[in-house]
């Protein structure tokens, strides 16, 4: 006879619940086993009421986006879905800030494996790359655990892809949408590659011309010093002209549309189970921005406008995605092979005009561009149960992202006596080709052993090793046409496709000249190799008190080297090589029915991103500002403290309240400098910063018994969260920084960073609310969703000037879903309305009563309808 007297917590029961479905399937799929010897249990003492809630079962403070949430919210990408969680905000529609800390303080994983980034300014992958149709959910872990990489500040975001189904299915969906600032209204476009552009595929039009490629292969700069007039003439005429250079105005920007397909099946065999799932999608959307873009200078106690420009741009965004997964399940072994492909293309036409004190003229700059981002990721994972106590899991992954920007074109005009003129001898023009390739290979193995002992209940020892190798190469080639003499007025009046025609390119007309590298290194390579080992113990140290304690040793070597494309002598690079011991611990006290307290403490790091160290000039199309890296950056070290109270009402229903504190040594901040061509942003390590705050979250369903059939047939959802965050940069009189402009020499920190200022990207207030209803049979679902973020700093102002700030404001959305049956199949009709309050994008500088509108435009209201079927 056995007698169990040790307290059993909800987590112990949670472990049983997690294994039960697998056991039930195993019993159904395998021949009956001989009955085991009967074990009699006299007494089981249970502390707390068990509710199978994923957020509760994790040993860390976490927030979860479930598959159900993705459907209800109707968000198209992982980035949009994460804005609904407490303490999370999204910047530029791509990068997730956790508790006000920038994307450099967050890590993104796909099924636990690292991801590369196609973004020139970030090493963290932008989460708009991940369509919601390939996701089964997202976990955001807000306290650090040592089984994850040491780069952790705000949180770790683990994206989970859809899994293999239990039953065969085929589903498809289509949607159509519009935006009241864009659809069927005036916008700009250009021919580009023709009809194939609509599918995000260039037909070869934008390939680097053969003659230019041959010139580059010589290793010499393409100019009159190294090539003859005839060669330069032929090279100049080889560039595309009208289909790239000529902006076209249209009054009927198309509607938005998307198509999704998915299928899956599985087979139960005598020796195991095999499953397959495949998902694919296509999305085509348009957005027009009529923006005010100003630059200001400090004038006595206020600000005065130096540049006052109106920017009209139209973007066509095309997303193609595909995911496949094959899973093999044996008796005690599971294998999964997952492949993901995403192609995200932006075709942009833009015209910026206005009074420019810098150019001493009324100017107009016309731009055309094609931004092509691509992600390929393959992963192989396995899990093995050996005996009753040992579990071994392993993973291997390879991912590659690319960013290709061919024919990024700009032409400047001056307005003289009411007409626009272009003088290639004086006026800016360029053709830029840039490429970025970022690759990440990773592997890891984890061991978990349940150690029976008389001192700690349910003691599990875990340990493991992880390796990651991230490599990047980026290069940019820039060309312009100039003239030896001032052209006559008739020449300057020509339409752009006539002006840059073959007729005008030659020794006595337009002359091709390469200006690659004139504003910093034209190329750079970068790498980051990390090795990490960890050991962790988890168990019930006292009745109803569980602890997770561990440490990670992580070695990292980061190398960034600029490349002079015209010299065989390598430029001096910068290597950061550090070893860190990173401890972490969390204690959970299940002190009452369905209630618990968590306490967490850890030490983590944040490394500079590659682009922040690379001295290569880059024009950010989102802000229209140029960035250049600073080779003299250091790692940041972070101490994290967390406490959270949790109350669980039922599955998916809870209330939480938490406090957090972070101490950051040498945080990396962006600073703005004046350059000859305008404002330029770079980076430096501020001396120190602290972040602290509180967050609360509530989610519950309500059902009423009123006697009214309609009211009694639904349940109401009320969900809300609020996060207060306060951050302060600490700067003393003796503190120094190492700005790029000082070439590695120290400079007084107070000249660059204001003591007490908040960290960049941090909003003091973040809030979300959801109010909706759904029928008890799940056929009808309607939800209002509200998101609010208070103003945040986007960059430090130039010396003596106020910081750049953005006010995201309030976004109100509405989603509706209705299921119905037709022709023997299940269909779902949907309607979505976004930004119902008409919130605008607003980035500004303020001092006293003066305001500079750095970037201001209407986002517009968006509406879409959809229809999906499951066959």
């Amino acid at each position: 006879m056995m007698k169990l007297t040790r307290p059993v917590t909800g987590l112990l029961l949670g472990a049983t619940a997690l294994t039960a479905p697998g056991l039930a399937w195993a019993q159904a799929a395998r021949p009956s086993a001989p009955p085991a010897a009967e074990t009699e249990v006299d007494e089981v003492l249970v502390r707390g009421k068990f509710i199978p809630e994923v957020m509760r079962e994790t040993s860390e403070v976490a927030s979860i986006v479930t598959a159900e949430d993705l459907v209800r919210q109707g968000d198209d990408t992982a980035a949009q879905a994460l804005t609904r969680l407490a303490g999370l905000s999204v910047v530029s529609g791509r990068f997730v800030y956790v508790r006000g800390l920038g994307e450099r303080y967050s890590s993104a994983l796909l099924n636990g494996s690292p991801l590369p980034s196609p973004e020139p300014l970030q090493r963290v992958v932008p989460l708009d790359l991940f369509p919601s149709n390939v996701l089964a959910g997202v976990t955001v872990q807000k306290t650090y655990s040592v089984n994850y990489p040491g780069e952790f500040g705000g949180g770790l975001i683990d994206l989970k892809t859809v899994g293999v189904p239990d039953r065969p299915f085929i589903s498809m969906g289509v949607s159509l949408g519009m935006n009241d600032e864009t659809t069927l209204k005036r916008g700009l476009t250009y021919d580009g590659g023709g009809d194939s552009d609509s599918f995000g595929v260039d037909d070869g039009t934008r390939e680097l011309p053969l003659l230019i490629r041959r010139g580059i292969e010589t290793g010499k700069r393409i100019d009159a010093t190294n090539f003859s007039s005839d060669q330069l003439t032929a090279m100049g005429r080889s560039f595309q002209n009208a289909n790239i250079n000529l902006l076209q105005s249209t009054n009927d920007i198309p509607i938005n549309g998307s198509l999704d397909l998915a299928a899956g099946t599985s087979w139960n065999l005598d020796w195991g189970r095999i499953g397959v799932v495949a998902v694919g999608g296509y999305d085509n959307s348009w957005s027009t921005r009529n923006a005010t873009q100003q630059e200001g200078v400090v004038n006595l106690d206020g600000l005065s406008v130096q540049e006052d420009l109106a920017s009209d741009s139209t973007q066509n965004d095309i997303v193609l995605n595909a995911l496949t997964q094959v899973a093999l399940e044996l008796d005690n072994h599971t294998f999964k092979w997952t492949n993901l492909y995403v192609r995200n293309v932006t075709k942009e036409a833009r015209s910026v005009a206005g009074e420019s004190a810098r150019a001493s003229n009324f100017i107009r700059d016309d731009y055309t561009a094609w931004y092509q981002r691509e992600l390929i990721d393959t992963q192989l994972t396995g899990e093995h149960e050996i005996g009753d106590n040992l579990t071994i899991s392993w993973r291997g992954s390879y991912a590659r992202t690319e960013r290709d920007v061919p024919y990024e074109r700009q032409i400047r005009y001056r307005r003289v006596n009411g007409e626009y003129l272009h003088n290639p001898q004086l006026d800016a023009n360029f053709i830029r080709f840039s490429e970025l390739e970022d690759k990440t290979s990773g592997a890891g193995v984890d061991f978990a052993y349940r150690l029976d002992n008389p001192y700690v209940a349910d003691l599990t020892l875990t340990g493991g090793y992880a390796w990651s190798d991230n490599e990047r190469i980026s290069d940019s080639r820039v060309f312009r046409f100039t003239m030896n003499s001032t052209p006559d007025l008739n020449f300057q009046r020509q339409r752009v496709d006539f002006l840059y025609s073959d007729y005008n390119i030659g020794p006595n007309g337009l002359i091709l000249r390469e200006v690659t590298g004139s504003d910093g290194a034209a190329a750079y390579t970068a790498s980051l190799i990390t090795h990490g080992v960890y050991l962790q113990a988890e168990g019930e140290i006292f009745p109803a008190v569980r602890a997770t304690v561990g440490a990670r040793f992580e070695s990292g070597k980061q190398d960034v080297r600029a490349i002079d494309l015209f010299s065989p002598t390598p430029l001096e690079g910068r290597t950061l090589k550090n070893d860190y011991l990173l401890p972490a611990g969390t204690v959970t006290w299940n002190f009452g029915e369905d209630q618990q307290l968590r306490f967490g403490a850890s030490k983590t790091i944040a490394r500079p991103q590659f682009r922040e160290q690379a001295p290569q000039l880059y024009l950010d199309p989102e802000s229209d500002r140029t960035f250049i890296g600073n080779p003299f950056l250091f790692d940041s070290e972070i101490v994290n403290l967390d406490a959270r109270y949790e109350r669980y009402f039922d599955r998916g229903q809870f209330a939480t309240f938490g406090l957090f504190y972070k101490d950051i040594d040498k945080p990396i901040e962006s600073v703005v400098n004046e350059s000859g061509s305008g404002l330029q942003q770079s980076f430096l390590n501020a001396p120190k910063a602290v972040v602290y705050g509180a967050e609360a979250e509530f989610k519950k369903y309500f059902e009423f018994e009123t006697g009214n059939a309609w009211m009694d047939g639904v349940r109401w959802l009320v969900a809300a969260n609020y996060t207060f965050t306060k951050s302060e940069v600490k700067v003393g009189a003796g503190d120094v920084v190492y700005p790029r402009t000082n070439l590695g020499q120290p400079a007084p920190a107070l000249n660059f960073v204001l003591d007490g200022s908040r960290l960049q990207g941090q909003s003091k207030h973040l809030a979300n609310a959801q109010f909706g209803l759904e029928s008890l049979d799940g056929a009808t679902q309607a939800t209002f969703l509200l998101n609010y973020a208070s103003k945040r700093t986007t960059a430090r102002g130039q010396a003596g000037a106020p910081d750049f700030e953005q006010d995201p404001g309030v976004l109100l959305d509405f989603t509706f879903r209705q299921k119905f049956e037709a022709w023997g199949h299940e269909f779902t009709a949907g309607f979505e309305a976004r930004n119902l309050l008409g919130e605008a994008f607003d980035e500004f500088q303020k001092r006293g009563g003066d305001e500079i509108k750095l970037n201001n435009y209407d986002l517009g209201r968006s509406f879409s309808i959809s229809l999906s079927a499951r066959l």
Side-chain angles (χ1 to χ4, degrees), residues 80-150:
Q80 292 175 353
L82 288 171
T83 62
R84 315 297 180 187
L85 296 181
L88 274 68
S89 59
V90 172
V91 176
S92 300
R94 300 179 180 182
F95 300 102
V96 173
Y97 284 35
V98 183
R99 291 173 168 174
L101 291 171
E103 76 283 345
R104 73 168 55 82
Y105 296 104
S106 300
S107 301
L109 305 176
L110 183 66
N111 298 325
S113 293
L115 287 163
S117 172
E119 291 301 306
L121 290 178
Q122 283 85 13
R123 191 169 68 240
V124 179
V125 64
L127 296 183
D128 69 320
L129 268 182
F130 297 92
S132 57
N133 67 316
V134 304
L135 298 176
V138 186
T139 299
V140 180
Q141 188 170 301
K142 297 178 180 178
T143 54
Y144 177 65
S145 56
V146 297
N147 57 310
Y148 283 121

Side-chain angles (χ1 to χ4, degrees), residues 702-716 773-778:
F702 294 91
E703 297 179 27
F704 301 101
E705 296 182 4
T706 64
N708 183 304
W710 188 87
M711 286 288 293
D712 293 348
V714 301
R715 64 174 186 167
W716 299 83
L773 63 85
E774 59 184 48
S775 58
L776 296 181
D777 60 5

Side-chain angles (χ1 to χ4, degrees), residues 332-353:
N332 296 308
H333 309 279
T334 301
F335 303 88
K336 289 183 181 179
W337 182 29
T338 306
N339 296 279
L340 175 66
Y341 171 77
V342 180
R343 182 184 181 88
N344 188 312
V345 172
T346 296
K347 178 182 179 180
E348 182 183 26
R350 178 161 46 108
S351 184
V352 182

Side-chain angles (χ1 to χ4, degrees), residues 600-661:
S602 63
K603 179 183 177 182
T604 56
I605 59 172
R607 297 183 176 95
Q609 302 188 71
F610 293 148
R611 191 63 186 82
E612 293 171 342
Q613 286 187 276
Q616 183 191 49
L617 204 68
Y618 165 72
L619 175 67
D620 178 25
E622 291 287 338
S623 62
D624 274 340
R625 287 195 290 273
T626 55
F627 289 76
I628 191 165
N630 177 8
F632 311 107
L633 297 177
F634 307 95
D635 294 350
S636 305
E637 298 185 30
I638 310 164
V639 174
N640 311 277
L641 300 174
D642 282 86
R644 187 164 83 170
Y645 162 79
E646 301 171 358
R647 169 75 184 274
Y648 294 92
F649 309 115
D650 205 335
R651 185 174 183 85
Q653 303 179 56
F654 50 83
T656 69
F657 176 77
L659 302 172
F660 56 89
Y661 175 87

